[in-house]
Amino acid sequence: MEKLLVTAIQRFSTHDGPGVRTTVFLKGCPLNCFWCHNPETKDLKNEVLFTPADCIGCMACASVCPSGAHEFENETHILRRDLCMSCMSCVSVCPSSACEAAAAEMTVDEILREVIKDKVFFGDNGGITLSGGEPLIRKEAVELLKAAKDMGLNTTVETCGQVPREILIDALKYTDFFYWDIKDTDSARHKLNTGAGNEKIISNLILADSMGALTAVRCIMVKGVNTDDKNIRGIAKILSDLKNCKAVEFMPYHAFGGSKATLLGLEDNGDKSLIPSDEEMALVKARLAELLKLYGVSNISVL
Amino acid sequence: MIFGTASKNERPVRLSESTRQFAYESLHGKYGDEAVSHGAVTLDDVEDFDMLDDYGKYDIAVRRIAEQAPLRITESERVCGAATLGLAIRHVVPATRNGNAVYGSMSHLTCGFDRAVNEGIDEYEKRIDLRLSDTENLDQRQIRFLQSLRNTVASMRIWHKRYLDATKDSRPDLYENLKVVPFSKPRNFHQAVQSLWFCFAFTRLCGNWPGLGRIDEYLGEYLKRDLRDGKITTDEAREILASMFIKGCEWIESDTAPGSGDAQHYQNIVLGGLGPDGIDITNEVTYLVLDIVEELPIGDFPITVRLSKNSPEKLYRRVCEVQRHGGGVVAVYNEELILKAMTDAGYRYSEALRFANDGCWEVQVPGKTYFTYIPFDSLSILQRRVLKKDGKDIEYESFDSLYACFKDELGKTVFDLCSGVQNAWVKDGKWLPKFPMSVVALFEDGCIENARDYGEGGPVYNVVSPHIGGAPDVGNSLYVIDKLCFKEKRLTLKELYQALSDNWQGYEALRQYVTNKLTYYGNDCDESDSYTVRVIDDFAEITHSYHSDEINFVPGVSTFGRQIEWAPVREAVPFGFKKGDILSGNLSPTPGTDAAGATAIIKSYCKSNLVRQTTGAALDIKLFPSSVEGENGLEAMIALIKGFIALGGFFMQTDVVDAETLRAAQENPKEYKTLSVRVSGWNARFVTLNKEWQQMIIERTEQGI
């Protein structure tokens, strides 16, 4: 079994499902949303997170780098991303936190050993949440869910839905709850902003729902991008067809992803002008609630 | 009127507008300022004062205070009596001669106000007289002490009479209750609260800062009876109790000089837990107290709730709902572990069941215990007597030999501290005289029976607790030394010593390595935690092995704020901090070394055998509002406490605050006057802390984000 690339294991997570949870962030995502707030989880392969401000100028990295990607000029340390092969040699010798790996390679067992440390706090409801990136693009993630279930943990998955059907069907057996993103109901716009259309995401959601998967649908709201009434109507329409959806959560775009992007040598993608106001968020929620009422949907709470 | 909160939820409003107004004035310093404006009574005109013996001088001071302290009866108050002399806020008896206070006062005890309320002070007078009648078995000092107790009661009567006269025409509501209490038994809940407050206020008036103990345990029955008989409503009872809480803030000044913080007069309250029959006593008073501190940001009565796996679910919820507003006013005890810790240390189970604290968080049997603690810095033992001796670096062939030396020096330190106290207080099996403490001795079982003062062996239990500080810093230091110098042989001890004596100058790569690549105490890593655990556990066994017939020497873990005063005299440490950096507080991780969050900190802390730390070991957890909002956040807070209990924790204090709020308060202290922060057993308004303290609180790792 292949190892998983884990960007973080976050204990005492209280926003990713019921109770106290440990959230495991896996690297790699099939989508490429321009507003992504976890850019270090996008790429399928490991990467160097580079923080020049933390460099103490010891040049240990330059001495081990096989491709000459670490350049020091006039006491400035530059990481040439075009040369970097992500071999992580620099990470292993850097004494400070200037060169760090975006992810650690871990087996399912190693991950579980970390997760189980907080079992005493999980109680009846808490457990493990898989997030990312997109967890359900690797069959090992299903192994992880299965092993967690075997240990009596509640399992939750945060998915973008753009996942292979066979992995999804397998995962359904071991997953207690899904947070399912619907980023945009306009497929053309979805393709433009995330790199893929939304057809697979929506058909997967309907399939999972029909097989009894409990879900909360999450909709990111990016000001001027997908906050229009047509999208809200589209969301309402999809929700009205679901039997096992418990809630819909509207999440305002935030710009914090930009700080991480720069560590990857990417442009700061944070753009404060895209943050919807509290009033806009309230309007969107009210509109959806109104539409759900119109469709006779009463089992979905709007959060 | 809006009282600050760290939560997205507003503080609920249950109290009347006039009570809230009263709280607002009290919290903003109206009464503290009044007190400061008349600091003390004078003894300058007492003839032949210097000819009097200690008790003679003390009794005159107390009498003058009773006769002359300004009376204060506020319009909204429902209980009467006020500690109006400002010098009491400086922890002395507020009576001066030639401008100087004559006697110090006492704190770090919980007086037996339960007995005082239930019996009435008349009974105390009878007991004193009875004991005095047995003169053949009393020496001169014992007789003088008992006479002083008698005079204390007489002074209390003088003060009481003045309030009776002052309320007779203007405030019949207060007058009717004062006619009965505190000298006779209360006939209802209102009188019980008045009795408690009057006794407490009298001890405070005379400069003492006692805790109040388990007020729900001893007031609960009165309320239950009144509610059953339809004599009172829950809302009325809340107003009466709130009045006591608000009056307890009478020492907050509007413009406090920055220091280690005010609102810190050790007037702790303990709620919940098992009663004498082994049944949980949680009752209406428990919940009313939580209602009050949920509504009003009162930090002056730090509250600790005794919780176990059998505590009512509602109590867990209410505790967390209050904690969520921030201010850290409610902490928790792991009741089951503490009962075992106390019985292991020799207390009978029936006595252990009564446990409260000393007014801070060190557990004791209230109303019958003399208590003090002796803090010491274990890191300086490592630095000055193990790694160096007489200023010279010491080489070790193995980690075991280094640790053996540390344990030996730790043992010597603890034994020296204990025998220092023993020899200063007791000679040939007899207690040596201290200064008079009759006002608190009146409320301590054993003092009348033994005819000995509070500080001279009078109480049933006499407890002195060496408190180890800096243990996580020692543990982290030992971990680096063992790992790098002995196990991995990455560098020699000599090289490490050089880096430390150069305060890491010229060793930045190594410093970065130990800072970034190693995991320290507080991250639930068994390898590194084991060093701190070893230090803590060895310390406990050493302390338990010291024997005295007169004094119980039992261990505990704390620094309170001493990590700040220790910082400049400590050396650089092997885990990367430099000279002058502020290191670990209590048994919490060194600031900045804990990256794995609240659950990991709790797990690391619980790895020590805390049942051996008889007086306690404090853990401070700081959570930010975003991680505990909503129903799920509340459940998560409850889960933290339940995990802490299941893992064998002792005392945990959870504070909910965000760093932004704290920074804003730092910049605009005027706007955040009531923002209170609690660090282990004490509580302070954030704006009254000096910059270093504020910074330390801000820098505590922002768990949960």
Side-chain angles (χ1 to χ4, degrees):
Chain A
M1 197 161 40
E2 280 195 35
K3 289 190 176 186
L4 288 161
L5 276 177
V6 179
T7 58
I9 296 181
Q10 194 180 71
R11 297 165 73 166
F12 196 60
S13 295
T14 57
H15 295 295
D16 304 313
V20 169
R21 313 192 70 81
T22 296
T23 303
V24 180
F25 293 86
L26 298 173
K27 196 158 162 36
C29 184
L31 297 182
N32 184 24
C33 310
F34 82 79
W35 54 72
C36 183
H37 68 151
N38 283 329
E40 80 284 9
T41 64
K42 268 198 214 175
D43 204 305
L44 283 163
K45 66 174 189 339
N46 212 346
E47 293 162 279
V48 176
L49 294 179
F50 178 53
T51 313
D54 289 346
C55 177
I56 60 168
C58 70
M59 303 212 272
C61 48
S63 69
V64 296
C65 181
S67 58
H70 288 278
E71 290 179 357
F72 286 82
E73 271 175 48
N74 304 325
E75 297 188 5
T76 309
H77 180 177
I78 296 160
L79 172 59
R80 293 275 303 274
R81 296 274 174 184
D82 54 329
L83 300 179
C84 176
M85 304 184 297
S86 297
C87 70
M88 303 292 142
S89 300
C90 56
V91 169
S92 66
V93 297
C94 177
S96 75
S97 44
C99 299
E100 289 186 311
E105 283 185 38
M106 297 175 82
T107 65
V108 166
D109 273 356
E110 284 166 345
I111 295 170
L112 269 181
R113 221 173 296 156
E114 279 303 305
V115 172
I116 210 69
K117 281 182 172 177
D118 269 357
K119 190 159 190 215
V120 69
F121 299 102
F122 291 159
D124 297 334
N125 302 325
I128 183 173
T129 297
L130 296 194
S131 184
E134 171 52 57
L136 298 185
I137 50 174
R138 287 194 179 82
K139 59 183 190 308
E140 289 80 5
V142 180
E143 293 302 316
L144 180 54
L145 288 168
K146 181 174 185 297
K149 274 263 60 99
D150 286 346
M151 299 181 89
L153 304 186
N154 176 290
T155 53
T156 294
V157 172
E158 295 178 338
T159 182
C160 73
Q162 182 79 355
V163 299
R165 184 158 286 208
E166 61 279 10
I167 295 185
L168 174 64
I169 289 171
D170 228 10
L172 287 172
K173 290 183 255 177
Y174 312 111
T175 307
D176 294 315
F177 198 82
F178 287 90
Y179 286 98
W180 201 295
D181 288 359
I182 297 181
K183 297 176 197 294
D184 202 334
T185 52
D186 180 325
S187 188
R189 206 163 61 187
H190 196 285
K191 189 164 190 336
L192 183 73
N193 292 324
T194 74
N198 64 13
E199 291 77 8
K200 189 172 177 185
I201 293 167
I202 291 163
S203 66
N204 272 344
L205 173 58
I206 290 165
L207 172 78
D209 183 75
S210 72
M211 292 177 73
L214 302 180
T215 53
V217 166
R218 277 180 168 170
C219 303
I220 185 169
M221 287 288 112
V222 188
K223 186 176 180 173
V225 174
N226 63 355
T227 47
D228 56 320
D229 196 60
K230 186 161 169 258
N231 187 27
I232 309 307
R233 291 203 307 272
I235 294 166
K237 178 72 188 57
I238 294 168
L239 292 177
S240 68
D241 289 337
L242 300 178
K243 293 186 291 291
N244 295 302
C245 176
K246 299 294 168 198
V248 55
E249 293 180 19
F250 283 101
M251 322 191 73
Y253 164 83
H254 64 77
F256 300 135
S259 60
K260 296 199 211 171
T262 53
L263 305 182
L264 293 158
L266 304 171
E267 293 253 323
D268 181 346
N269 65 338
D271 182 351
K272 286 191 180 145
S273 71
L274 300 175
I275 301 173
S277 65
D278 289 350
E279 292 74 30
E280 286 169 298
M281 290 303 291
L283 279 176
V284 163
K285 289 178 197 175
R287 174 66 172 145
L288 187 84
E290 180 185 270
L291 288 165
L292 289 181
K293 203 170 169 193
L294 188 69
Y295 291 143
V297 177
S298 57
N299 56 327
I300 299 178
S301 41
V302 182
L303 305 172
Chain B
M1 215 164 355
I2 294 166
F3 296 107
T5 169
S7 170
K8 279 194 174 174
N9 306 323
E10 298 271 313
R11 291 179 181 272
V13 177
R14 301 185 184 96
L15 295 166
S16 67
E17 194 49 37
S18 63
T19 299
R20 288 171 60 81
Q21 183 64 37
F22 183 28
Y24 192 83
E25 288 168 3
S26 195
L27 286 167
H28 283 75
K30 180 174 177 190
Y31 305 111
D33 291 353
E34 266 181 34
V36 171
S37 70
H38 32 71
V41 298
T42 175
L43 302 172
D44 289 348
D45 60 327
V46 179
E47 282 175 32
D48 297 330
F49 184 80
D50 295 328
M51 306 291 285
L52 298 169
D53 69 356
D54 259 355
Y55 284 113
K57 291 175 185 167
Y58 183 83
D59 291 353
I60 283 199
V62 171
R63 190 188 170 100
R64 286 251 163 135
I65 290 167
E67 287 170 345
Q68 295 175 9
L71 301 184
R72 180 167 63 230
I73 301 158
T74 56
E75 201 184 321
S76 307
E77 70 182 32
R78 306 289 303 270
V79 291
C80 175
T84 51
L85 294 172
L87 213 57
I89 310 174
R90 307 288 172 259
H91 205 315
V92 293
V93 178
T96 59
R97 201 163 157 85
N98 305 322
N100 297 317
V102 180
Y103 286 109
S105 57
M106 297 312 297
S107 59
H108 284 287
L109 78 160
T110 285
C111 285
F113 296 124
D114 49 347
R115 184 173 184 177
V117 169
N118 287 329
E119 284 185 6
I121 301 298
D122 283 346
E123 290 299 315
Y124 284 53
E125 209 165 37
K126 287 180 197 158
R127 280 196 286 131
I128 299 164
D129 287 346
L130 185 65
R131 188 69 186 87
L132 256 175
S133 67
D134 185 22
T135 39
E136 280 154 44
N137 293 314
L138 296 170
D139 64 25
Q140 190 51 35
R141 185 156 181 93
Q142 288 180 300
I143 292 170
R144 291 293 295 128
F145 167 63
L146 289 172
Q147 287 168 341
S148 175
L149 285 182
R150 196 71 174 71
N151 290 334
T152 299
V153 175
S155 294
M156 197 169 169
R157 281 192 198 283
I158 291 169
W159 193 54
H160 181 252
K161 175 76 168 40
R162 292 174 63 209
Y163 272 103
L164 273 178
D165 293 345
T167 52
K168 189 170 183 190
D169 298 325
S170 60
R171 291 293 299 272
D173 58 323
L174 299 172
Y175 177 76
E176 289 303 317
N177 285 337
L178 280 179
K179 272 199 325 199
V180 180
V181 292
F183 291 95
S184 300
K185 292 178 188 179
R187 294 176 191 143
N188 54 43
F189 176 71
H190 196 165
Q191 289 181 2
V193 178
Q194 173 66 76
S195 184
L196 164 62
W197 173 257
F198 204 83
C199 293
F200 175 65
F202 181 69
T203 60
R204 274 161 62 92
L205 177 74
C206 299
N208 303 287
W209 302 359
L212 288 84
R214 307 178 69 189
I215 65 170
D216 54 350
E217 200 259 340
Y218 59 87
L219 295 177
E221 275 304 309
Y222 293 98
L223 181 57
K224 192 172 156 192
R225 223 169 46 207
D226 286 2
L227 285 169
R228 186 195 62 205
D229 298 346
K231 287 183 179 163
I232 199 171
T233 64
T234 310
D235 286 341
E236 283 164 5
R238 193 186 297 111
E239 296 284 334
I240 292 164
L241 259 185
S243 200
M244 185 181 95
F245 273 78
I246 295 163
K247 286 175 69 75
C249 302
E250 66 194 345
W251 284 353
I252 292 178
E253 297 158 52
S254 65
D255 193 17
T256 312
S260 64
D262 73 349
Q264 160 55 338
H265 307 106
Y266 303 98
Q267 46 201 33
N268 272 35
I269 285 172
V270 174
L271 296 178
L274 301 178
D277 48 8
I279 295 169
D280 191 284
I281 61 95
T282 306
N283 58 49
E284 201 59 40
V285 173
T286 319
Y287 294 116
L288 288 180
V289 170
L290 292 171
D291 282 356
I292 291 164
V293 292
E294 183 179 31
E295 176 166 353
L296 307 173
I298 289 177
D300 279 43
F301 289 91
I303 292 163
T304 311
V305 183
R306 288 168 51 161
L307 290 174
S308 73
K309 57 181 185 294
N310 300 319
S311 301
E313 201 58 30
K314 181 184 170 190
L315 183 57
Y316 274 99
R317 278 190 77 85
R318 289 297 292 140
V319 164
C320 292
E321 280 169 354
V322 176
Q323 285 182 337
R324 198 151 66 165
H325 286 287
V329 77
V330 180
V332 299
Y333 280 133
N334 179 2
E335 179 175 65
E336 208 175 318
L337 178 122
I338 292 171
L339 292 174
K340 182 157 185 347
M342 293 182 79
T343 49
D344 281 1
Y347 289 96
R348 288 202 317 275
Y349 186 65
S350 58
E351 288 286 83
L353 277 173
R354 302 185 59 228
F355 85 82
N357 55 38
D358 68 318
C360 194
W361 49 252
E362 297 95 322
V363 298
Q364 61 170 229
V365 181
K368 45 170 75 171
T369 305
Y370 176 89
F371 175 82
T372 195
Y373 71 101
I374 336 170
F376 70 95
D377 178 15
S378 59
L379 181 62
S380 79
I381 296 175
L382 179 73
Q383 293 185 329
R384 293 191 197 164
R385 289 160 61 179
V386 181
L387 304 184
K388 278 181 196 273
K389 267 186 188 143
D390 304 322
K392 281 191 196 130
D393 291 344
I394 305 297
E395 289 286 329
Y396 293 91
E397 298 206 336
S398 66
F399 179 75
D400 286 346
S401 62
L402 188 154
Y403 188 78
C405 176
F406 172 74
K407 191 175 166 185
D408 194 42
E409 292 293 339
L410 179 65
K412 281 187 207 159
T413 303
V414 171
F415 271 54
D416 284 351
L417 291 172
C418 294
S419 45
V421 168
Q422 177 74 25
N423 297 335
W425 293 4
V426 182
K427 197 175 177 191
D428 304 328
K430 289 212 154 114
W431 286 79
L432 299 168
K434 287 203 186 89
F435 60 90
M437 308 171 187
S438 315
V439 173
V440 295
L442 181 66
F443 298 100
E444 287 287 310
D445 280 9
C447 290
I448 296 175
E449 293 73 12
N450 295 325
R452 283 187 212 291
D453 207 338
Y454 176 66
E456 298 173 21
V460 178
Y461 304 106
N462 293 282
V463 180
V464 174
S465 186
H467 272 200
I468 188 169
D473 305 311
V474 173
N476 289 342
S477 298
L478 293 173
Y479 169 58
V480 172
I481 292 171
D482 192 17
K483 188 177 176 72
L484 300 192
C485 301
F486 293 104
K487 287 188 172 143
E488 295 176 3
K489 299 195 190 309
R490 195 182 268 264
L491 72 163
T492 64
L493 257 186
K494 208 178 175 118
E495 286 164 333
L496 180 64
Y497 287 160
Q498 193 59 51
L500 298 181
S501 70
D502 292 350
N503 199 20
W504 290 107
Q505 280 286 316
Y507 293 86
E508 191 55 20
L510 179 60
R511 198 186 77 83
Q512 288 288 336
Y513 178 84
V514 296
T515 304
N516 294 303
K517 306 293 165 173
L518 302 183
T519 304
Y520 295 104
Y521 169 79
N523 293 285
D524 191 15
C525 162
D526 287 342
E527 188 192 358
S528 51
D529 289 342
S530 68
Y531 294 84
T532 298
V533 169
R534 192 172 175 186
V535 171
I536 289 290
D537 290 352
D538 281 343
F539 159 71
E541 297 316 315
I542 289 166
T543 309
H544 282 294
S545 74
Y546 185 90
H547 178 76
S548 151
D549 287 333
E550 295 80 19
I551 301 169
N552 300 330
F553 288 98
V554 286
V557 185
S558 81
T559 60
F560 300 104
R562 289 190 180 78
Q563 66 271 30
I564 291 174
E565 62 193 70
W566 288 339
V569 293
R570 286 165 157 179
E571 304 298 322
V573 289
F575 55 105
F577 286 76
K578 295 179 180 174
K579 195 171 168 63
D581 286 343
I582 293 168
L583 304 178
S584 159
N586 293 323
L587 196 41
S588 302
T590 312
T593 60
D594 50 329
T599 56
I601 295 175
I602 292 171
K603 284 198 72 190
S604 288
Y605 156 90
C606 289
K607 286 174 192 174
S608 294
N609 190 17
L610 298 174
V611 77
R612 296 297 282 162
Q613 305 294 343
T614 312
T615 61
L619 178 69
D620 309 317
I621 292 282
K622 201 164 96 163
L623 300 171
F624 283 76
S626 58
S627 65
V628 292
E629 64 191 32
E631 176 61 23
N632 201 45
L634 199 67
E635 271 180 38
M637 291 181 80
I638 294 170
L640 275 189
I641 298 175
K642 288 188 172 172
F644 160 85
I645 287 171
L647 291 166
F650 199 108
F651 170 92
M652 179 168 74
Q653 156 134 351
T654 311
D655 196 2
V656 178
V657 72
D658 69 65
E660 275 316 302
T661 307
L662 295 179
R663 284 193 197 94
Q666 219 175 10
E667 280 168 31
N668 305 304
K670 285 222 166 80
E671 291 171 33
Y672 293 87
K673 268 200 154 340
T674 61
L675 178 71
S676 71
V677 182
R678 188 169 167 190
V679 181
S680 61
W682 64 261
N683 214 315
R685 281 185 302 141
F686 183 76
V687 298
T688 67
L689 300 171
N690 69 26
K691 189 103 181 175
E692 269 177 313
W693 271 96
Q694 291 182 341
Q695 210 55 35
M696 183 179 69
I697 287 162
I698 291 171
E699 282 171 10
R700 282 281 302 141
T701 313
E702 302 182 0
Q703 293 134 15
I705 285 189

